[in-house]
């Protein structure tokens, strides 16, 4: 479902060129559960943003569900992002001036769902991440781990077929992390394809394949031999 | 150096009262290295913000260096925050429109240092966290872990006697986390008092005492028996 060939991303900053991705070849099948690890600054978020159609590569090709993404127009990209892809950002990116519930409703508003159904689906998503009693809070009235879970609920509320999660448990204690990973395992059992960037081996262990990045290239790519 | 008695913090949200801290008694001596752990939402950031004079308690008392903090006026509080306390925020709180270097210089500008000395001290702080080659980047041109390290550099640049760090390694791979913790161990060896909130046992293991919170109260408070 995901295929990249020699994917590169470079940033020009004045006289400096930062080569965040230096040629990534990656192939992910439907219903895989892939963990991505690597040092700080190795290009993980950059790669995830390209996969999630949030950014465009400097060069190289990317096919999503068989379609070459650089050939799609903005409307098609927006529709794919809204319907097929759920994204949990490393910095959450919640709207600060509205409630957790409304933040989670946003993808459903975009998808055109009627209000009653939106409400119920958003409430269910918040309940699944343990935040049933925090729905009316604004982001600045939530703890770091609570904000991170709102970001997860928002990514899942539209029941996307592809979930991209950038360090979704960085602000969670181990018990809450396990709850969130159980949600992801449940989704994976029901057919979801999941790419998860993490710094923690315990979290990576939930996946069935581990890709490591270093300096903008893939260093290792292994299926786990232990169930 | 830190003494709290029955510290409470409550938030009023419409009809709801959130009791974030429900009576915390804590005593921290000079040069201690204390880790604080606990479930998401248990009150760790709330407690750290009170200790760092960034917020005021609903009730209870807090003495810092022998002075009752609620008796201090705003100027004295601001001076304490700038000179004595370094704070690493869970959400970094960097100024988005300026460089990493300038972000780290801010406490030194406030302290009235001349430009040349400010520059050198800020560069040294960024170098200590491995970001010598990222000084001219703005926060949105940095990875999650790089932003987290800029926040650490800014907290240390004024050489405060008390460092409060709210999950300073949540976005770092293990090798980079070890580098950052080595910086903290070095500071501790030179007399620094450190309170560090973390969700990771490996990081808490660097401290010599562990306090755990649950539902706004201290659940356990133990010195580590293993060196
Ligand atoms: N807009 C930008 N301009 C310049 N450089 C950038 C920009 N965005 C990211 N970078 C650089 O590209 C590199 C890769 O960034 P990326 O965010 O992908 O790293 P990462 O692997 O996600 O790191 P972390 O684990 O710290 O989150 C970093 O060194 C960063 O400084
Ligand atoms: N301004 C606020 N208004 C209402 N409730 C708040 C506010 N700020 C925090 N809270 C609530 O207080 C509780 C404690 O928050 P705090 O940020 O201290 O938790 P924490 O232990 O740091 O959690 P985490 O590990 O997730 O960062 C949370 O349940 C949160 O929802
Ligand atoms: Mg990242
Ligand atoms: Mg917190």
């Amino acid at each position: 479902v995901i295929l990249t060939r020699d994917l590169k991303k470079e940033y020009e900053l004045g006289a400096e060129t930062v080569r965040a991705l230096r040629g990534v070849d990656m192939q992910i099948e439907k219903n895989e559960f892939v963990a991505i690890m690597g040092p700080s600054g190795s290009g993980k978020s950059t790669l995830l943003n390209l996969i999630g159609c949030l950014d465009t590569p400097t060069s190289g090709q990317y096919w999503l569900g068989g379609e070459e993404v650089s050939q799609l127009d903005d409307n098609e990209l927006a529709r794919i992002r809204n319907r097929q892809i759920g994204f949990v950002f490393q910095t959450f990116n919640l709207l600060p001036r509205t409630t957790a519930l409304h933040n989670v409703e946003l993808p459903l508003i975009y998808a055109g769902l009627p209000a009653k159904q939106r409400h119920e689906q958003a409430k269910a998503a918040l309940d699944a991440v343990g935040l049933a009693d925090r729905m009316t809070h604004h982001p600045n009235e939530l703890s770091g781990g609570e904000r991170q879970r709102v970001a997860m609920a928002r990514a899942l509320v539209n029941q996307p077929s592809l979930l991209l999660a950038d360090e979704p448990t960085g602000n969670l204690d181990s018990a809450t992390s396990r709850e969130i990973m159980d949600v992801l395992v449940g989704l994976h059992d029901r057919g979801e394809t999941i790419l998860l960037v993490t710094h923690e081996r315990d979290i990576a262990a939930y996946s069935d394949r581990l890709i490591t990045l270093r300096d903008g290239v893939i260093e290792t790519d292994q299926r786990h031999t232990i169930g």
Side-chain angles (χ1 to χ4, degrees), chain A:
Chain A
V1 67
I2 288 173
L3 179 63
T4 76
R5 185 179 299 160
D6 204 32
L7 216 54
K8 288 183 185 166
K9 182 69 184 181
E10 298 176 5
Y11 299 103
E12 306 283 336
L13 283 196
E16 179 196 13
T17 298
V18 177
R19 294 189 174 79
L21 288 182
R22 301 168 189 226
V24 170
D25 299 318
M26 196 169 75
Q27 184 169 337
I28 312 247
E29 309 293 331
K30 205 164 172 354
N31 203 214
E32 282 198 68
F33 192 159
V34 183
I36 300 174
M37 297 185 80
S40 175
S42 54
K44 306 178 297 297
S45 298
T46 303
L47 178 60
L48 218 65
N49 287 343
L50 293 179
I51 302 294
C53 304
L54 293 162
D55 198 1
T56 51
T58 307
S59 67
Q61 294 160 304
Y62 168 36
W63 290 266
L64 175 63
E67 302 207 62
E68 228 261 88
V69 167
S70 58
Q71 305 305 323
L72 300 172
D73 66 40
D74 285 350
N75 281 334
E76 288 170 299
L77 277 176
R79 215 178 50 77
I80 285 175
R81 277 199 305 262
N82 179 255
R83 293 299 172 80
Q84 298 184 24
I85 301 175
F87 206 108
V88 185
F89 293 89
Q90 190 169 4
T91 47
F92 320 153
N93 295 6
L94 302 177
L95 291 193
R97 299 219 193 100
T98 186
T99 61
L101 184 68
H102 194 71
N103 263 283
V104 175
E105 283 186 296
L106 283 174
L108 304 177
I109 292 172
Y110 192 81
L113 258 69
K116 186 169 184 302
Q117 197 178 337
R118 248 172 29 213
H119 257 62
E120 302 196 351
Q121 223 164 301
K123 279 187 190 172
L126 281 164
D127 187 48
V129 297
L131 292 178
D133 60 352
R134 289 283 179 273
M135 292 192 196
T136 55
H137 287 230
H138 287 219
N140 67 343
E141 296 163 342
L142 292 171
S143 78
E146 290 167 347
R147 285 176 214 168
Q148 190 159 36
R149 286 182 275 160
V150 174
M152 173 65 75
R154 181 183 62 185
L156 299 180
V157 75
N158 231 351
Q159 294 166 355
S161 52
L162 173 63
L163 176 70
L164 306 175
D166 201 343
E167 305 195 34
T169 62
N171 284 288
L172 301 177
D173 56 284
S174 29
T176 315
S177 295
R178 276 194 295 274
E179 286 171 35
I180 294 304
M181 293 312 293
D182 286 346
V183 171
L184 297 192
V185 167
L187 288 168
H188 178 236
D189 289 345
R190 292 198 289 282
E192 187 98 2
T193 309
I194 302 180
L195 261 79
L196 180 139
V197 170
T198 183
H199 281 309
E200 301 177 57
R201 297 243 157 236
D202 302 352
I203 299 299
Y206 283 82
S207 67
D208 33 58
R209 175 180 169 194
L210 175 63
I211 293 175
T212 66
L213 284 186
R214 180 175 293 277
D215 295 329
V217 289
I218 291 184
E219 191 179 36
T220 68
D221 188 345
Q222 306 260 357
R223 295 195 164 285
H224 297 307
T225 44
I226 307 166

